[in-house]
Amino acid sequence: MDGMKRILVTGGAGFIGSHLCERLLTDGHEVICLDNFYSGSKQKIRHLIGNPMFELVRHDVTMPYYAEVDEIYNLACPASPIHYQFNPIKTIKTSVMGAINMLGMAKRVKAKILQASTSEVYGDPDVHPQVESYWGNVNPIGIRSCYDEGKRCAESLFVNYHQQNGVKIKIVRIFNTYGPRMEINDGRVVSNFIVQALRGEPITIYGNGMQTRSFQYVDDLLEGFVRMMGTADHITGPVNLGNPEEYTMLELAREVKDLTGSTSPIIYQSLPKDDPMRRQPDIQVAGELLNGWKPLVPLRVGLARTIEYFDNLLSVRPG
Ligand code: NAD
Ligand code: UDP
């Protein structure tokens, strides 16, 4: 097929990665999904196994890997605070050694490589909304630093491989993204609130619920990924990809209660250390570079789709 590419997706058996594999197959490409199943699972890509355009590889990105590919989406890294704080040293190794290994491979096979960076590089921001030119406010020795600093170091590696070795890089900074295929016990706020509401259990707000996040539906992110990968070689990013609609956690809890019709009480628990107070992307750069890209799925629509997913899942796996 004209324009068909062979594409490697690291972390392809995770929440975002599984949707990305599906999207790239739909676009007519060949996909290699690489994962060590640390926070992802075969379940998420089971429906793709057997597709002759799809290959699944069990591999850890902290070890070198080699395949002749045209493009690499580097997503391997646990994203939920519970998962990335469980083994912080491994989290740093995954971000840093994973970046080195994938960049080395990209250099060798002359592949374009996109890094799934994060709004966490801005830390607890004192510039609001966050623009790409803001350098961030990260605690380098705090409980989130294994993730935040790992991702910051990965960005540095990407830029240096580009400048020193001419590797074609694309850095996107992803803001909180949600949708079907998040794990029931993922620990992130959207899945927690939905599962709690559907089970009739208390909805756990950490802190006073006045901290904010801006939630992006996964399909909007994928469109941004694909457009970013398709940009001219001199465009490297970083580019923010997120939905600028900003909500407090209390507002989110109320939306979820309303959409599920749940009678769950809202309860307040202690706020984890270094939890950022505000987060909202400035997406002007994305709009300019990515052909007018902007998120299309409003929170209530995305939440409704995610609730439907969890509702089905809980009826099969009630425990
Ligand atoms: P996820 O935990 O569902 O997916 C991560 C995947 O990477 C999992 O399948 C996991 O098994 C795999 N993985 C972890 N360590 C690995 C290793 N050493 N070798 C190979 N595979 C490994 O998380 P997600 O939400 O799908 O996030 C995907 C990427 O996007 C991550 O890099 C994350 O940092 C980034 N991101 C996500 C969000 C979000 O809101 N979901 C926000 C910012 C950035
Ligand atoms: N949060 C919450 N209740 C939960 C899980 C998370 O109030 O059950 C809060 C958390 O303290 C944070 C926000 O929701 O302020 C987003 O948390 P998440 O772990 O989803 O993402 P991140 O903090 O990495 O943006």
Side-chain angles (χ1 to χ4, degrees), residues 14-16 35-36 38-40 60-61 75 94 147 151 177 188:
F15 155 54
I16 296 172
D35 209 293
N36 70 348
Y38 176 75
S39 54
D60 189 316
V61 289
L75 272 62
T94 294
Y147 183 74
K151 290 283 189 180
T177 302
R188 281 178 278 187

Side-chain angles (χ1 to χ4, degrees), residues 12-255:
F15 155 54
I16 296 172
S18 63
H19 287 282
L20 179 62
C21 289
E22 208 170 75
R23 161 77 195 249
L24 296 173
L25 287 168
T26 305
D27 288 351
H29 302 298
E30 223 181 296
V31 173
I32 303 176
C33 165
L34 180 154
D35 209 293
N36 70 348
F37 305 117
Y38 176 75
S39 54
S41 74
K42 267 191 208 162
Q43 194 60 30
K44 293 195 208 301
I45 34 94
R46 203 172 60 149
H47 58 295
L48 305 178
I49 295 172
N51 181 332
M53 302 288 272
F54 181 75
E55 268 172 78
L56 176 60
V57 177
R58 180 190 288 264
H59 183 82
D60 189 316
V61 289
T62 60
M63 305 290 174
Y65 176 76
Y66 182 85
E68 292 284 348
V69 294
D70 304 298
E71 293 176 354
I72 304 168
Y73 288 85
N74 188 37
L75 272 62
C77 184
S80 153
I82 292 181
H83 290 143
Y84 72 64
Q85 286 165 21
F86 177 73
N87 186 344
I89 296 172
K90 178 72 191 190
T91 300
I92 299 176
K93 284 186 177 172
T94 294
S95 273
V96 176
M97 294 164 70
I100 292 170
N101 287 327
M102 292 307 121
L103 284 161
M105 181 185 142
K107 177 182 163 190
R108 217 160 138 193
V109 304
K110 298 190 173 20
K112 258 195 274 186
I113 179 164
L114 178 144
Q115 168 66 356
S117 192
T118 171
S119 54
E120 287 284 323
V121 300
Y122 301 122
D124 192 5
D126 33 36
V127 168
H128 194 82
Q130 290 77 59
V131 282
E132 288 85 348
S133 53
Y134 173 54
W135 291 352
N137 175 33
V138 172
N139 175 357
I141 55 169
I143 56 170
R144 297 173 85 101
S145 70
C146 59
Y147 183 74
D148 302 5
E149 298 290 15
K151 290 283 189 180
R152 286 167 68 97
C153 183
E155 286 200 11
S156 172
L157 283 162
F158 267 69
V159 167
N160 286 306
Y161 267 78
H162 173 68
Q163 287 168 356
Q164 216 173 309
N165 294 322
V167 175
K168 295 171 191 158
I169 63 152
K170 311 281 173 192
I171 299 172
V172 293
R173 292 182 178 156
I174 307 166
F175 284 66
N176 298 63
T177 302
Y178 70 97
R181 298 207 197 115
M182 294 182 90
E183 287 290 332
I184 290 177
N185 60 359
D186 179 274
R188 281 178 278 187
V189 69
V190 173
S191 46
N192 269 12
F193 284 3
I194 292 177
V195 170
Q196 289 161 346
L198 290 172
R199 284 180 170 158
E201 292 169 356
I203 295 183
T204 54
I205 288 189
Y206 303 159
N208 63 9
M210 288 300 117
Q211 72 271 39
T212 69
R213 295 291 186 274
S214 306
F215 297 101
Q216 161 175 243
Y217 188 68
V218 63
D219 289 357
D220 286 329
L221 174 66
L222 299 184
E223 186 57 33
F225 271 7
V226 170
R227 289 192 192 193
M228 183 66 182
M229 191 60 110
T231 51
D233 289 349
H234 70 276
I235 294 174
T236 59
V239 173
N240 288 339
L241 292 178
N243 190 324
E245 285 178 26
E246 184 185 9
Y247 294 87
T248 66
M249 294 311 101
L250 186 57
E251 285 168 340
L252 177 70
R254 289 188 176 136
E255 287 283 7

